[in-house]
Amino acid sequence: MSENNPYDSIKQVSEMWEKGLNGLLFQSLDSNPLIQMTKIGIEANSRYIEMLKRNRELMANYMNLPTKNDIANAVKQTIQAEEKIDILEEQIWNLQEGFTLATEAQNKMIGELIDFTKHLHSEWQKATQELAQLTEMKKELEEMKELLQKEKKEPVMAAK
Amino acid sequence: MAVKSLVNIPVLNLESEKKRWDNVYKVLSEPKPDIESTPRKAVWKKNKSVLWYHPASKKKYKTPLFLVYSLLNKAYILDISEEGSVIGNLTKQGYDVYLLDWGSPGLEDKDLTLDNYILDYLEVAVKRALRHSGAGEISLVGYCIGGMLSAILTSLTDLPIKNLVLAAVPIDYSDAIVPGKWVKALQNGTLNFDRFSDAYEVIPSEFLYAIFMGLQGFNIGPSINLVTRAHNQKYVDKWRRMDKWMKDAVTFSGAAFKQMMNELYKENKLVKGEMKIGGRKVDLSTIACSTLVITSTRDELVLESQSLPIMDLITSEDKTYEHVEAGHVSLCLTGQFAFAIDPWLSTRSTKME
């Protein structure tokens, strides 16, 4: 807007007035008689509300009508049920986490078992090969032994 | 259309004036506007409380934010308009945001105390947010009474709270925004709200609205602002949303009201380390996480002296204090809050790889 905007002046004046009036209000409220009056007002209002509530309950009781208190009590049960569901949900989470951990541990163990079995298998194969080699060696040794025995016998006969 | 004058007479633009008074008429005659929130999903509900999840537009940080607003006002002030939304701006900045909306208590909630609000609602909601986000840690951001509840929870819980942000938080109740004699009357028991709370059971929203209006005194500023800027449609929309929020007061549990009046305003137990929540003493010195405390220059509800003592009470090595140019409500209303906490939070939140 232009530099000659009347609203700016209104705003400035209102801000000035607001500040001044608030200062005045703050000072005038800072008084003990007003506090005493408020105290009496709060007490009277509370007594009045208590009386209203007593009469309301009395009337509802005579007429067998549900009051807001009865509804509140019913709602409290719902809130309690909600809390229990929350606790159950948390317990299910804990169980889920427990199961996940257990499954992970189980998988790890099965993995180790498979590795071990594979290792055993390869060792077994190695052992079988070695056994075959040993059997071969034993056979060769026996043949050598037989040959040696033959050689021992033949020279004696040649000497005769 | 402007009419120029040779003498120094105020110059008015007729089109602009027509628009101005049309808008003023609309504000006075039309129903209050609907407020649309940023995209959100309810993660958990209990009684009237809802835990909302607002996903980041483009997630930059692993550490989510958990916002806790006051028990005495509605939380949608944090998400009031598209450009002025604290939540909207935080999600744009790359944070996943969780907001606990306390709801407005009914008669069945008359016995809810601060203990219940902290342990049965806030702590459970933080747990749920942590589980939902899958994050290892979370940043807790509390505003006004929500800040006080967040500080108490942080001091009591084992949950992994990485950062704590407290804005306009009342911790020390030895002073208040009301005149001195009223503070003394509350402290020496001359003014006592026990019978009042018991009689009403749930403090009516009209009573809380009256308290807020009373604390602001002669509050003609907003109306004058509306008239002076009513030709600006954007401002009028924003003003209407604020007006709706101001008048949309909540009820408050009688037991919690009594507890606040006696344990905080009368005995100032929190700052003295004598307050008990769930049977355990609240010791603010156990707060050791990174903490940011924000106060505003024109706060009309919480004094700076009420927030400052927390800086000495906590034992965090990484603690920052900021005094920003704003009012108690305008800090949220303008969305400025998101920009005030982002530089601090971004350096303390775990970034996405």
Side-chain angles (χ1 to χ4, degrees):
Chain A
M1 269 251 157
S2 73
E3 62 219 15
N4 212 4
N5 186 351
Y7 292 103
D8 289 343
S9 318
I10 295 172
K11 199 180 166 198
Q12 277 173 5
V13 172
S14 76
E15 273 172 8
M16 213 168 68
W17 270 94
E18 191 181 297
K19 235 179 193 174
L21 284 171
N22 276 336
L24 203 71
L25 183 74
F26 198 85
Q27 276 178 351
S28 53
L29 283 179
D30 200 14
S31 84
N32 285 326
L34 192 68
I35 292 169
Q36 287 302 327
M37 267 173 63
T38 311
K39 189 188 168 185
I40 294 165
I42 289 171
E43 286 290 314
N45 185 262
S46 308
R47 257 201 310 275
Y48 177 66
I49 294 291
E50 281 167 9
M51 192 187 75
L52 269 180
K53 270 168 56 188
R54 254 198 320 272
N55 291 338
R56 184 193 63 191
E57 289 295 320
L58 205 69
M59 288 282 283
N61 206 13
Y62 282 137
M63 296 167 82
N64 266 335
L65 289 173
T67 62
K68 209 175 170 186
N69 275 331
D70 297 320
I71 300 167
N73 288 335
V75 176
K76 267 186 192 170
Q77 305 286 322
T78 320
I79 298 166
Q80 277 174 13
E82 213 175 21
E83 276 174 358
K84 279 176 190 161
I85 292 169
D86 269 358
I87 292 167
L88 275 174
E89 204 177 10
E90 274 183 31
Q91 280 175 349
I92 291 169
W93 285 348
N94 291 339
L95 275 173
Q96 269 179 337
E97 276 164 12
F99 276 133
T100 315
L101 283 176
T103 316
E104 274 171 18
Q106 218 174 21
N107 287 345
K108 204 180 159 193
M109 203 178 76
I110 290 169
E112 277 171 9
L113 265 175
I114 291 168
D115 284 347
F116 183 66
T117 317
K118 276 182 187 167
H119 183 69
L120 261 182
H121 184 70
S122 67
E123 288 296 314
W124 177 256
Q125 275 181 332
K126 265 187 211 168
T128 318
Q129 277 174 0
E130 276 167 13
L131 187 68
Q133 282 172 351
L134 279 172
T135 318
E136 191 75 19
M137 272 170 72
K138 194 186 165 192
K139 204 177 156 189
E140 282 171 8
L141 277 170
E142 273 172 3
E143 280 173 6
M144 278 168 72
K145 198 179 163 187
E146 267 175 36
L147 280 171
L148 274 171
Q149 275 176 349
K150 262 187 197 173
E151 274 173 20
K152 262 185 195 174
K153 279 179 190 172
E154 278 169 11
V156 175
M157 280 173 75
K160 272 182 185 177
Chain B
M1 289 293 278
V3 181
K4 278 235 168 185
S5 169
L6 292 173
V7 281
N8 203 13
I9 296 172
V11 178
L12 296 172
N13 182 318
L14 289 178
E15 270 177 39
S16 164
E17 286 311 299
K18 189 176 172 299
K19 210 172 175 188
R20 182 195 309 278
W21 294 106
D22 267 356
N23 275 336
V24 171
Y25 175 72
K26 274 183 192 167
V27 169
L28 294 174
S29 58
E30 283 183 0
K32 303 259 182 254
D34 290 330
I35 288 160
E36 279 179 35
S37 68
T38 51
R40 63 180 184 177
K41 194 178 100 181
V43 170
W44 174 69
K45 284 181 185 179
K46 182 180 177 181
N47 198 357
K48 280 102 189 160
S49 302
V50 185
L51 175 63
W52 294 106
Y53 165 59
H54 300 258
S57 315
K58 198 180 165 201
K59 197 169 168 179
K60 277 195 211 163
Y61 307 99
K62 278 184 190 169
T63 319
L65 301 186
F66 190 102
L67 303 187
V68 190
Y69 197 65
S70 173
L71 287 166
L72 302 168
N73 293 107
K74 290 202 172 160
Y76 68 80
I77 181 81
L78 296 171
D79 198 11
I80 204 155
S81 63
E82 205 184 328
E83 54 192 43
S85 162
V86 174
I87 293 174
N89 286 326
L90 286 169
T91 52
K92 277 177 205 157
Q93 283 157 357
Y95 300 95
D96 271 344
V97 177
Y98 291 87
L99 167 74
L100 179 61
D101 184 348
W102 299 104
S104 198
L107 186 59
E108 60 280 8
D109 308 313
K110 66 185 169 78
D111 298 320
L112 284 183
T113 57
L114 294 180
D115 303 43
N116 297 118
Y117 279 119
I118 294 167
L119 303 175
D120 300 339
Y121 287 81
L122 184 55
E123 191 173 27
V124 179
V126 175
K127 254 189 224 171
R128 295 269 171 164
L130 275 165
R131 189 179 170 87
H132 181 264
S133 64
E137 291 170 312
I138 200 163
S139 298
L140 206 53
V141 181
Y143 202 92
C144 190
I145 305 280
M148 183 188 78
L149 301 180
S150 304
I152 294 175
L153 177 72
T154 311
S155 73
L156 292 174
T157 191
D158 297 326
L159 292 173
I161 294 167
K162 186 174 170 66
N163 305 304
L164 177 66
V165 179
L166 307 171
V169 59
I171 295 288
D172 184 358
Y173 289 81
S174 59
D175 200 3
I177 204 85
V178 293
K181 282 180 184 165
W182 288 75
V183 177
K184 274 194 189 121
L186 282 169
Q187 284 167 351
N188 62 28
T190 308
L191 265 183
N192 189 302
F193 287 89
D194 284 4
R195 193 172 178 181
F196 179 84
S197 311
D198 291 337
Y200 276 94
E201 298 176 283
V202 174
I203 309 300
S205 55
E206 293 80 8
F207 180 76
L208 289 178
Y209 178 66
I211 290 181
F212 282 119
M213 287 296 106
L215 287 172
Q216 287 173 22
F218 291 100
N219 194 23
I220 49 167
S223 309
I224 297 287
N225 282 341
L226 173 70
V227 174
T228 53
R229 296 175 68 182
H231 56 284
N232 179 347
Q233 192 58 46
K234 247 185 177 176
Y235 180 81
V236 175
D237 291 342
K238 199 172 122 185
W239 190 94
R240 289 182 73 198
R241 286 197 200 98
M242 182 208 71
D243 185 56
K244 179 181 177 171
W245 177 81
M246 287 292 284
K247 289 170 183 161
D248 197 6
V250 292
T251 51
F252 192 47
S253 139
F257 186 74
K258 212 156 80 170
Q259 193 180 10
M260 275 191 77
M261 283 297 164
N262 291 332
E263 294 192 15
L264 297 173
Y265 282 101
K266 189 177 175 190
E267 296 174 57
N268 199 14
K269 280 186 175 178
L270 180 58
V271 94
K272 291 178 188 164
E274 293 167 4
M275 193 172 184
K276 277 187 176 175
I277 293 291
R280 287 154 66 196
K281 253 191 187 173
V282 180
D283 181 8
L284 295 175
S285 68
T286 54
I287 299 177
C289 61
S290 299
T291 306
L292 168 68
V293 179
I294 296 180
T295 57
S296 48
T297 49
R298 289 176 276 111
D299 199 320
E300 59 280 13
L301 296 175
V302 178
L303 296 170
E304 189 188 4
S305 60
Q306 287 187 273
S307 303
L308 269 175
I310 195 156
M311 293 303 288
D312 297 324
L313 289 170
I314 58 174
T315 49
S316 314
E317 279 180 21
D318 175 23
K319 50 185 172 183
T320 313
Y321 175 71
E322 275 178 30
H323 193 52
V324 298
E325 176 65 39
H328 189 88
V329 176
S330 70
L331 186 58
C332 284
L333 188 72
T334 53
Q336 193 189 346
F337 184 51
F339 300 103
I341 63 173
D342 177 51
W344 186 87
L345 262 179
S346 59
T347 53
R348 289 162 179 86
S349 299
T350 315
K351 289 185 176 66
M352 297 289 288
E353 282 145 16

